Amino acid sequence: MPYVVYSQHIMNTESELTCRFSPEVITAMRRHIVLADGNEVFFAGMINEHGVVTSVTVAARGQEDAVPVNVSQARECAVLIHNHPSGVLRPSDADMGIASTVSQDGQGFYIINNEVTAVYAVMEPVKPRQIVPLQLSSVRSYLSSGGPLSKLSPHFEERPAQLDLLEAVADVFNKKAVGMFEAGTGVGKSYAYLLPAMLWAIQNKERVVVSTGTINLQQQLIEKDIPAAERILAKPVKAVLVKGRQNYICLRRLQDASSEPDLFTDDSEVLASIKKWIESTPTGSRSDLPFVPPENVWSRINSESDACMGARCIHRENCFVMKVRKEAAGANLLIVNHHLLFADIESRMDGVGYDDASVLPPYKHIVFDEAHGIESAATSFFSGSFTRFRLLKQLSLLYRQRRGGVAGYIFTLQVLSKTEDKTEDIIVAINEIKQTIINLELLCNDVLGSETAIWLNDNTVRVFSPVLSLLNTLSEKIAAVVANVREIMEGIDEEDKDVPHYWETKSVLRRLDDVVLLCNNFSAWNEKKDIVFWMQRLRLNPALTKNNENPIYIQFIETPLDVAGLMNKGVYEPMESIVCTSATLSINNSFTYWMKRAGIQYVDAERLKQKMFPSPFPYEKNVLFCVPQDAPFPDQDSIVFQQYVESAIIKLITAAQGRTLVLFTSYESLKSACVVARNAFQNKGIQILKQGDDDRFRLLDIFKKDTNSVLFATDSFWQGVDVPGNSLSQVVIVKLPFSVPNDPVYSARAEAITQRGGSPFMELSLPEAVIKFRQGFGRLVRRGDDKGCVVVLDRRIMERKYGSLFMNSIPKTKCLYAPLSSISKSIETFLYP
């Protein structure tokens, strides 16, 4: 390097030096160089928004002409600084190499003399962006009386709880905190977190991710709440709804599927309809289809990461996934579901890091709405499973028999490959796998006996042993097929890899690898105490069962015992600010249970903010809470209790004139009660709807429109059901929603609590039930003028000591603990005075 070039960067006056270093740093570096006898010293420096080094740490000391680089310190600093004792500040080749490397992370590289009177900036550091904090009073004014919302809305009414929540969320962004905020129905939490999130994204140019648990809320945010928030702020924001790529059609796979009619003999009309739809759809999203395609059709034509040909694809310019990714890359606000967020978090934890694009573009701020569901969503995402259907489907893509011949990817690949023909070996192995899975399911049914599920542990390993042996055999046979197919693929020249079957096979092999890994994990269960390994017996929906197909099948599952550590490592530690909000986070006015389950217990106390914002709705005036005094206890005689339930439901529906949501904890109980109710109300103008008879969204749509209808539901209908107005005047909760004691995951978690000396009932079963009970209760009142009754047929809520936890976790209402006959009359009077 010519002297004239590098000398231009040497600063040797006091004023010039202070442009680089604070006086305190200059003094500190001089002192440390003297203490090192004038040898080279490596300093790790931090800079302010003006680029001035304001602090340094001695990371290493060396010789007269060399010093080691402390890699861990180097990663954390803004600028690497070392001295040249000779006073010649020309960078060595080693200096230039290090400067080039650290520049990739935006770090600078300076050389100084021993007196710290001259500095040579080999590489300039990237100055930290100056963050503009949100002014709390200004943010609050948007939703206050006299503010923009009051001028836009003719029915405006200031909500003090909403203003307080708004301010709390803004404070989380300002202080890089983690906030837990319970906001009761009617507080207006969507605006309370959207406005601070949008303002932060706009003024600091930092992306914010809003993660929700339900499609309904995502659609509400993107179609209604965000456009309204833009009008309130009078500032545009680019918000994009991002779905997993499997929700979008792949044009290349659709084209390929159309050329393989033998795969869709029963669904040719569906495929034709999709091809027609693709000509006009702007999104390519499954949700925009005017019908629900069969899963076996959609999974063959949707977008898959492993099957994506990327730049090689002739459809790249029109790719729906690429369009969404481009939109997301330029967005201020991303709306996602919890599952997609965890897919992104997983890839970042696996090595992508948090500064580059992965499933989502990079971000440092998350708002979890419906945060009560993040533990369940994380548990579901980080679980793995397989069934015979999943396995056989992948194998059939590689090889299948059809009328008059055979088909499958392996034949195309073998023609292109230079390796010896392995198709016969693969066919033999696939047929052996099919027989092994049949034998495995027969064995599993024997092991399960009358049980529907079994958990692999010290007490069951003896009966599980033959299953583990067959799983090991299955794993070896699948691995052999995968190895042979990969060998064929390795023999294909680069220019021949553009064939679609090559990329489809990559996707198949990845799925087969997942099955092999799961089988191997089962065999190593005793070394993986943080995972629950279990299997369950399931039955196909009769409508989906083909001729001569066994409707009974086995599912093998691995589930994390606890996701708290994963949540802390993947979410709370790397993110700058996190807002968690829901109407049901607390139990008896305490967040402790949810904090433990969701991993927030690991967050430093000074970073944590928590508060409850009660609902403004007049529950004491508009809600009658009833428990029949003459109900039998459900845990004493289940048959007697079921008979009582079936009789009581008819009386309650009659009193409310329909308009009832009946929530069960057992589908068998639901089915039995539904039969009785349909017989009782036949030809009486009250339609009895049952979960499972139709798509969830269609059922809810019918329930909303038919104001005299009744919906019998369980599980997922305890939350996410929003039916304001006259269509829902009564919620009947059949039993307190305690987990089934023989549920494998519950059993494993309960045992873990017992082993550390805790109480599974008080620490797990009871808190879970209270949270779910609160969600069920919350289905009734969705607007300020909603009026109705909640009836709990389980009188343990009044008679057992723990019942107070349930009662103290819901708003105060009118209460009635009386015989069912009195309750029926009171309901009729209350609803129809």
Side-chain angles (χ1 to χ4, degrees):
M1 181 186 296
Y3 178 80
V4 67
V5 174
Y6 92 85
S7 66
Q8 290 176 354
H9 300 280
I10 295 177
M11 295 184 176
N12 51 21
T13 69
E14 196 68 26
S15 62
E16 290 173 326
L17 276 175
T18 54
C19 291
R20 298 279 181 185
F21 307 112
S22 70
E24 294 80 9
V25 165
I26 293 171
T27 301
M29 290 193 295
R30 285 171 179 166
R31 184 176 72 254
H32 286 298
I33 292 170
V34 170
L35 291 173
D37 293 329
N39 290 310
E40 289 197 18
V41 180
F42 164 38
F43 299 97
M46 300 304 294
I47 61 175
N48 61 19
E49 65 271 19
H50 303 296
V52 177
V53 179
T54 55
S55 66
V56 290
T57 302
V58 175
R61 300 173 183 84
Q63 304 166 344
E64 187 177 351
D65 57 357
V67 65
V69 175
N70 185 321
V71 177
S72 61
Q73 291 264 11
R75 282 199 199 101
E76 302 299 323
C77 70
V79 58
L80 284 68
I81 308 163
H82 76 291
N83 58 307
H84 278 188
S86 66
V88 178
L89 306 190
R90 185 191 303 271
S92 66
D93 289 343
D95 290 335
M96 295 298 288
I98 294 170
S100 296
T101 299
V102 301
S103 70
Q104 296 174 24
D105 294 322
Q107 295 170 297
F109 190 86
Y110 296 171
I111 301 172
I112 57 176
N113 60 5
N114 278 17
E115 295 77 23
V116 197
T117 57
V119 57
Y120 178 46
V122 181
M123 189 67 66
E124 297 288 356
V126 175
K127 295 178 183 178
R129 289 189 302 104
Q130 190 168 6
I131 295 298
V132 181
L134 299 174
Q135 297 299 316
L136 301 187
S137 59
S138 174
V139 175
R140 192 180 178 100
S141 68
Y142 283 103
L143 301 183
S144 299
S145 296
L149 179 60
S150 67
K151 295 171 184 174
L152 288 169
S153 173
H155 305 294
F156 172 81
E157 186 176 316
E158 187 175 274
R159 305 184 195 181
Q162 184 183 48
L163 295 175
D164 291 344
L165 176 57
L166 179 84
E167 191 171 308
V169 171
D171 200 40
V172 166
F173 280 98
N174 285 345
K175 295 180 178 175
K176 298 183 178 181
V178 176
M180 291 183 299
F181 304 127
E182 181 173 281
T185 306
V187 166
K189 61 182 170 65
S190 295
Y191 283 170
Y193 66 69
L194 279 176
L195 265 61
M198 292 164 69
L199 286 168
W200 184 272
I202 292 167
Q203 68 187 38
N204 289 305
K205 295 180 173 58
E206 290 188 339
R207 188 177 291 109
V208 179
V209 172
V210 177
S211 182
T212 78
T214 62
I215 294 172
N216 283 352
L217 181 53
Q218 291 170 46
Q219 294 297 138
Q220 176 187 313
L221 289 172
I222 208 75
E223 294 173 5
K224 178 184 173 185
D225 294 343
I226 291 173
E230 286 184 295
R231 291 192 293 272
I232 294 169
L233 295 176
K235 295 177 181 178
V237 63
K238 185 173 182 181
V240 175
L241 172 61
V242 185
K243 305 174 187 177
R245 68 183 302 152
Q246 70 277 5
N247 288 283
Y248 298 94
I249 198 162
C250 172
L251 297 172
R252 194 268 304 163
R253 297 189 82 203
L254 176 63
Q255 182 179 353
D256 295 344
S258 302
S259 65
E260 296 183 275
D262 67 297
L263 280 174
F264 303 98
T265 53
D266 299 329
D267 300 294
S268 56
E269 291 184 9
V270 173
L271 204 60
S273 298
I274 292 175
K275 289 172 69 177
K276 180 79 174 172
W277 166 75
I278 211 71
E279 296 172 4
S280 58
T281 175
T283 67
S285 172
R286 181 179 186 173
S287 63
D288 290 342
L289 268 168
F291 58 91
V292 180
E295 187 57 37
N296 66 304
V297 174
W298 184 257
S299 63
R300 179 61 185 85
I301 60 177
N302 67 343
S303 180
E304 292 280 358
S305 57
D306 291 315
C308 179
M309 295 178 67
R312 298 171 180 261
C313 184
I314 60 173
H315 299 284
R316 181 177 175 82
E317 292 302 314
N318 297 313
C319 176
F320 294 110
V321 171
M322 290 298 105
K323 289 178 182 178
V324 170
R325 286 192 167 179
K326 287 177 184 176
E327 286 291 303
N332 307 100
L333 205 61
L334 299 181
I335 310 301
V336 303
N337 64 23
H338 297 332
H339 193 275
L340 183 63
L341 180 67
F342 289 129
D344 181 77
I345 294 294
E346 181 186 48
S347 69
R348 296 184 186 283
M349 292 172 69
D350 286 345
V352 172
Y354 289 81
D355 297 322
D356 298 314
S358 181
V359 177
L360 300 173
Y363 53 92
K364 288 291 184 182
H365 310 277
I366 302 175
V367 175
F368 284 108
D369 199 347
E370 300 176 317
H372 61 270
I374 61 176
E375 186 219 355
S376 176
T379 299
S380 173
F381 178 80
F382 290 107
S383 295
S385 68
F386 83 90
T387 65
R388 80 164 184 264
F389 299 111
R390 176 182 172 187
L391 176 57
L392 295 180
K393 176 186 173 183
Q394 300 308 313
L395 295 175
S396 71
L397 293 172
L398 295 177
Y399 160 75
R400 61 188 177 277
Q401 291 179 305
R402 61 181 182 182
R403 300 182 191 91
V406 294
Y409 302 153
I410 60 171
F411 300 108
T412 303
L413 298 179
Q414 188 65 70
V415 169
L416 296 171
S417 180
K418 295 176 181 178
T419 60
E420 61 177 296
D421 193 335
K422 293 186 174 294
T423 54
E424 191 58 39
D425 292 341
I426 293 171
I427 291 169
V428 170
I430 286 176
N431 287 329
E432 290 177 353
I433 290 170
K434 290 179 179 178
Q435 187 57 53
T436 302
I437 195 73
I438 291 171
N439 296 339
L440 180 60
E441 289 207 330
L442 289 171
L443 175 61
C444 290
N445 276 307
D446 288 341
V447 169
L448 283 164
S450 61
E451 299 293 327
T452 57
I454 185 172
W455 160 43
L456 177 55
N457 57 62
D458 291 332
N459 297 322
T460 61
V461 66
R462 184 169 159 275
V463 294
F464 230 112
S465 184
V467 175
L468 294 177
S469 179
L470 261 185
L471 280 172
N472 188 53
T473 300
L474 181 65
S475 169
E476 290 173 354
K477 292 183 182 298
I478 297 172
V481 168
V482 170
N484 277 329
V485 175
R486 283 209 168 101
E487 192 172 336
I488 293 174
M489 295 174 74
E490 287 168 2
I492 299 175
D493 290 336
E494 194 66 31
E495 59 268 22
D496 292 327
K497 291 181 180 178
D498 285 344
V499 294
H501 283 185
Y502 180 89
W503 297 88
E504 291 295 332
T505 303
K506 285 180 64 179
S507 181
V508 170
L509 296 188
R510 194 261 299 168
R511 289 186 172 87
L512 292 178
D513 281 338
D514 289 345
V515 176
V516 170
L517 179 61
L518 188 57
C519 291
N520 292 343
N521 285 347
F522 262 82
S523 297
W525 70 275
N526 207 26
E527 301 168 13
K528 300 177 182 293
K529 296 295 188 181
D530 57 343
I531 298 176
V532 184
F533 295 95
W534 54 294
M535 64 180 183
Q536 64 177 339
R537 182 194 292 120
L538 298 170
R539 177 183 289 271
L540 274 180
N541 185 321
L544 301 177
T545 306
K546 298 178 182 178
N547 294 335
N548 302 319
E549 185 174 43
N550 181 6
I552 305 296
Y553 65 100
I554 303 297
Q555 184 179 33
F556 299 90
I557 309 159
E558 60 177 10
T559 302
L561 185 64
D562 187 354
V563 297
L566 284 170
M567 288 291 296
N568 184 54
K569 181 181 177 183
V571 180
Y572 309 127
E573 284 185 353
M575 293 298 141
E576 289 187 0
S577 62
I578 299 165
V579 174
C580 301
T581 182
S582 167
T584 53
L585 292 181
S586 70
I587 295 170
N588 202 18
N589 298 314
S590 170
F591 289 114
T592 303
Y593 169 74
W594 186 80
M595 287 174 65
K596 289 180 179 178
R597 301 306 307 168
I600 291 186
Q601 60 179 353
Y602 295 112
V603 177
D604 292 338
E606 60 270 18
R607 193 182 171 212
L608 200 57
K609 295 181 180 296
Q610 54 184 294
K611 193 171 182 181
M612 297 178 194
F613 303 88
S615 170
F617 292 163
Y619 284 89
E620 286 189 86
K621 174 186 174 185
N622 285 358
V623 176
L624 176 63
F625 184 88
C626 308
V627 180
Q629 201 173 41
D630 50 359
F633 286 110
D635 55 355
Q636 291 182 354
D637 191 324
S638 59
I639 295 176
V640 171
F641 181 72
Q642 179 66 23
Q643 291 171 344
Y644 176 85
V645 166
E646 292 169 2
S647 171
I649 287 173
I650 292 171
K651 293 174 183 176
L652 294 170
I653 291 173
T654 301
Q657 299 177 19
R659 306 181 182 189
T660 300
L661 172 65
V662 189
L663 295 173
F664 292 80
T665 58
S666 160
Y667 194 66
E668 292 304 314
S669 173
L670 180 154
K671 287 194 295 184
S672 177
C674 187
V675 170
V676 174
R678 281 176 171 169
N679 288 334
F681 291 104
Q682 194 172 16
N683 302 320
K684 292 186 178 179
I686 294 178
Q687 181 179 192
I688 306 295
L689 305 169
K690 177 169 72 72
Q691 180 181 348
D693 284 350
D694 204 339
D695 174 75
R696 170 190 169 97
F697 298 106
R698 278 194 286 268
L699 272 178
L700 285 174
D701 190 51
I702 295 169
F703 183 52
K704 289 177 183 178
K705 290 177 180 176
D706 184 351
T707 55
N708 293 322
S709 64
V710 176
L711 176 57
F712 283 47
T714 183
D715 199 25
S716 62
F717 282 76
W718 284 70
Q719 59 179 310
V721 174
D722 190 3
V723 186
N726 294 332
S727 292
L728 179 56
S729 297
Q730 179 174 240
V731 172
V732 177
I733 295 176
V734 172
K735 281 176 65 177
L736 296 178
F738 289 107
S739 294
V740 180
N742 58 0
D743 173 80
V745 177
Y746 170 81
S747 298
R749 289 174 173 172
E751 183 176 286
I753 293 171
T754 300
Q755 287 177 349
R756 61 170 172 75
S759 165
F761 180 75
M762 295 303 296
E763 296 181 38
L764 183 63
S765 181
L766 183 57
E768 273 187 359
V770 172
I771 291 287
K772 192 166 185 177
F773 174 77
R774 294 189 65 198
Q775 291 161 359
F777 176 91
R779 296 314 94 213
L780 181 66
V781 177
R782 308 306 298 170
R783 295 190 316 211
D785 58 350
D786 280 349
K787 180 179 180 180
C789 307
V790 175
V791 183
V792 179
L793 299 181
D794 187 343
R795 66 186 177 99
R796 290 179 295 179
I797 196 170
M798 305 300 288
E799 299 285 347
R800 300 286 164 84
K801 187 176 180 180
Y802 57 73
S804 60
L805 274 178
F806 290 90
M807 297 299 291
N808 292 340
S809 295
I810 59 175
K812 289 183 178 180
T813 65
K814 298 176 184 292
C815 285
L816 181 61
Y817 185 43
L820 181 63
S821 57
S822 297
I823 287 174
S824 298
K825 292 176 184 176
S826 297
I827 289 172
E828 190 170 356
T829 303
F830 184 73
L831 294 178
Y832 308 104

